Amino acid sequence: MKKSNLLFMFAAGALMLTACGNDDPIADGGNQSGNDAQQIVLQVANGGDALTTRAGRPLLSSEAKQSIENVQVIITTADGTVVDHQNVAKWNTESTPYTNNGHGREKIITLEKKLAAGSYHIYAVGHSTGTAYTHEGAKFGPNAIITMTKSGEATAAEEIFAGSVDLTVKDGEGFRPTIVLHRQVAGIFTYMSNIPYYHEGDATTGVTGTQLRLFAVANSPKLVLGNFVNQDLTANGTNTSTNVINGAEQATAKTLVYTIDLTKWFKEIKDANNDRLIDTYATVEGQFDNWQNPFKKTDSEGKPYYEASFVKGSVFGGEFIIPFKSVVANNTFILEMTNNDGSHTFQTWVIKLGANDTPANSKDITIWDGSKFSTPTETFTDTAYSYSVFRNHLYGVGTKVSDGGTKPGEPDPDPEKPDPDKNDPTPIDKKQELTLRVNDNWEIIHHMEIE
């Protein structure tokens, strides 16, 4: 996906947000001291210590972490006029872990330009360098519309965190409010084993199943940042589990979320032992040479390492997505086995919610209606097959609680016997449906199933 800069367009002009900082940086310390210090505590919830230089981290497990380089701080007056806009760059290296009232990474910053007495709104957005999100509108108010740049058919969303707080400044008095930034997108992954082998026709003119494609029933091209915990609850940063749909301009259309290319996981797409599964082992018992981990990387010194580890014989796909409302009587997610260009479908699996997940009712949902966040006007109940996708919820088939990557020079720890509590792909050879589950470190993690 081609990346472009995150652009907030204000009435005073356009400001480009990059990881290089600004002419007037917000810094720790400063010249202020005593009780009149004007400081802000930034906390990105569900943080992790993993560092990255890529533009947006890949979704490789249900691990609760974040990998962002920039936190934009925008201060506006009550009517939305921007009075200060700064970028806290190098977030991953300059912030520190916190564990009080949640967990994540935080940084205390001191404003170098003091705010005059009055009412203000402080808005913070965390994003990667080279992000594909852009901002619409002349003022950065309580509800900022973020437009997603798409890549072909794929939703191509990426992780973004945001939060805000209202502030009253009094003459001669300082302040130190805490802004908790939470994940604004959803995520889905499929972690599977026992991959069926499909081939139709003769060896030269036939077609082979080489792709697993995940489709969603709908998509939203825009993300609305608003209805934050900070504003809605008296205890800032707590009780964050909410069913918020913050996607905008939803379209009901079969949308490709991601493709798992089986040729990257298996050296040959074959079934030499006629068990109707793609061969994991070679024909010589005990040799494991037809499966490979495609997440192999090389560091600056040429040493190999693995970005993530997987059970031998498994395949994995994951992506961040913009939340959307369920479409009545339609399956929210389906998985298809196709040939290499998707022109021939061999099998379709329906992905449903797990038995422990209670489908939401309209009264339990907060949705962006085009002008504000509110409860939907129509009455409906989601089902195990037709369900809404909510902000900061993770929907996953199989169990994978951490990426499990290696350091340069370390071998891939791909296990032959998975730990069902930590690393356990779902076999799909006898399934017609897949079942989702939900993870609390992302507010909610849905464990999904295939049947």
Side-chain angles (χ1 to χ4, degrees):
M1 178 175 64
K2 184 178 180 181
K3 303 291 182 179
S4 60
N5 284 326
L6 179 62
L7 183 64
F8 294 96
M9 294 178 290
F10 302 122
L15 299 176
M16 191 66 71
L17 308 185
T18 69
C20 299
N22 300 279
D23 294 334
D24 300 302
I26 297 178
D28 290 317
N31 299 322
Q32 300 181 60
S33 61
N35 294 329
D36 64 344
Q38 297 188 346
Q39 297 179 319
I40 300 172
V41 181
L42 296 174
Q43 293 184 337
V44 179
N46 297 333
D49 296 326
L51 305 181
T52 184
T53 57
R54 77 178 69 250
R57 73 177 175 99
L59 179 60
L60 298 174
S61 69
S62 61
E63 187 171 351
K65 68 178 186 179
Q66 49 87 8
S67 187
I68 55 177
E69 293 83 31
N70 305 273
V71 177
Q72 306 295 330
V73 179
I74 301 97
I75 303 176
T76 75
T77 57
D79 66 359
T81 302
V82 177
V83 295
D84 199 1
H85 169 209
Q86 311 275 349
N87 178 34
V88 180
K90 301 179 181 178
W91 173 262
N92 269 329
T93 55
E94 294 184 355
S95 59
T96 57
Y98 75 90
T99 57
N100 58 308
N101 195 24
H103 71 280
R105 300 188 68 86
E106 71 177 2
K107 182 178 177 65
I108 300 174
I109 60 176
T110 300
L111 301 185
E112 293 190 344
K113 295 180 179 179
K114 278 196 170 183
L115 298 178
S119 297
Y120 298 90
H121 184 76
I122 306 177
Y123 199 96
V125 179
H127 63 90
S128 61
T129 300
T131 181
Y133 293 114
T134 57
H135 173 261
E136 293 180 347
K139 293 182 178 180
F140 202 97
N143 294 314
I145 305 292
I146 300 296
T147 303
M148 169 55 66
T149 302
K150 291 191 174 183
S151 175
E153 228 187 332
T155 52
E158 66 185 65
E159 207 166 30
I160 187 169
F161 292 79
S164 64
V165 68
D166 292 323
L167 175 69
T168 299
V169 178
K170 298 180 180 180
D171 285 326
E173 296 184 12
F175 53 78
R176 186 190 278 188
T178 298
I179 305 177
V180 181
L181 287 73
H182 291 282
R183 189 182 291 102
Q184 298 299 299
V185 294
I188 182 169
F189 71 79
T190 49
Y191 185 33
M192 301 165 293
S193 62
N194 290 13
I195 310 305
Y197 173 78
Y198 289 99
H199 179 84
E200 296 178 3
D202 60 43
T204 56
T205 63
V207 291
T208 301
T210 61
Q211 311 279 331
L212 285 170
R213 299 173 181 237
L214 182 76
F215 292 93
V217 70
N219 68 81
S220 290
K222 296 184 179 181
L223 190 65
V224 182
L225 305 184
N227 195 58
F228 297 124
V229 174
N230 305 50
Q231 294 179 315
D232 297 342
L233 302 176
T234 55
N236 179 24
T238 62
N239 300 325
T240 61
S241 182
T242 53
N243 294 332
V244 176
I245 301 174
N246 57 338
E249 300 183 5
Q250 177 172 324
T252 299
K254 185 180 180 181
T255 303
L256 178 65
V257 180
Y258 56 76
T259 298
I260 301 174
D261 185 351
L262 299 178
T263 64
K264 293 182 178 180
W265 295 85
F266 300 95
K267 297 174 184 178
E268 294 183 59
I269 306 300
K270 63 178 184 178
D271 177 22
N273 61 357
N274 296 315
D275 64 353
R276 299 184 179 180
L277 303 178
I278 297 177
D279 291 342
T280 297
Y281 290 90
T283 55
V284 178
E285 186 177 357
Q287 291 184 349
F288 204 102
D289 62 0
N290 194 45
W291 180 87
Q292 58 193 353
N293 184 343
F295 286 86
K296 186 176 182 179
K297 306 291 182 180
T298 303
D299 70 359
S300 58
E301 298 179 354
K303 294 181 180 180
Y305 68 96
Y306 291 88
E307 191 173 18
S309 63
F310 304 91
V311 170
K312 290 180 178 180
S314 65
V315 299
F316 183 93
E319 185 61 82
F320 297 105
I321 52 176
I322 294 177
F324 58 85
K325 182 182 171 295
S326 62
V327 179
V328 176
N330 284 265
N331 298 316
T332 294
F333 291 113
I334 61 171
L335 184 73
E336 293 183 356
M337 170 73 81
T338 74
N339 62 334
N340 60 352
D341 63 5
S343 60
H344 185 88
T345 300
F346 295 92
Q347 183 172 348
T348 298
W349 294 268
V350 176
I351 301 183
K352 68 175 184 178
L353 288 175
N356 294 329
D357 287 324
T358 302
N361 294 303
S362 56
K363 60 182 177 59
D364 302 321
I365 294 174
T366 300
I367 192 169
W368 176 253
D369 66 6
S371 62
K372 65 183 183 304
F373 284 99
S374 61
T375 301
T377 55
E378 77 275 28
T379 300
F380 66 91
T381 300
D382 285 351
T383 69
Y385 299 91
S386 178
Y387 44 89
S388 301
V389 175
F390 301 120
R391 176 175 74 186
N392 204 14
H393 286 216
L394 178 61
Y395 301 80
V397 172
T399 300
K400 195 169 191 302
V401 300
S402 68
D403 295 355
T406 66
K407 296 180 181 179
E410 292 182 352
D412 180 12
D414 44 16
E416 293 192 45
K417 295 182 179 180
D419 181 341
D421 294 325
K422 296 181 180 180
N423 190 0
D424 191 15
T426 293
I428 63 171
D429 54 320
K430 295 182 174 68
K431 299 285 187 178
Q432 293 298 324
E433 298 174 344
L434 305 176
T435 301
L436 294 160
R437 302 180 189 176
V438 186
N439 180 331
D440 279 328
N441 282 330
W442 284 57
E443 282 193 15
I444 293 182
I445 294 182
H446 300 270
H447 294 281
M448 303 161 76
E449 297 174 358
I450 295 179
E451 293 185 352

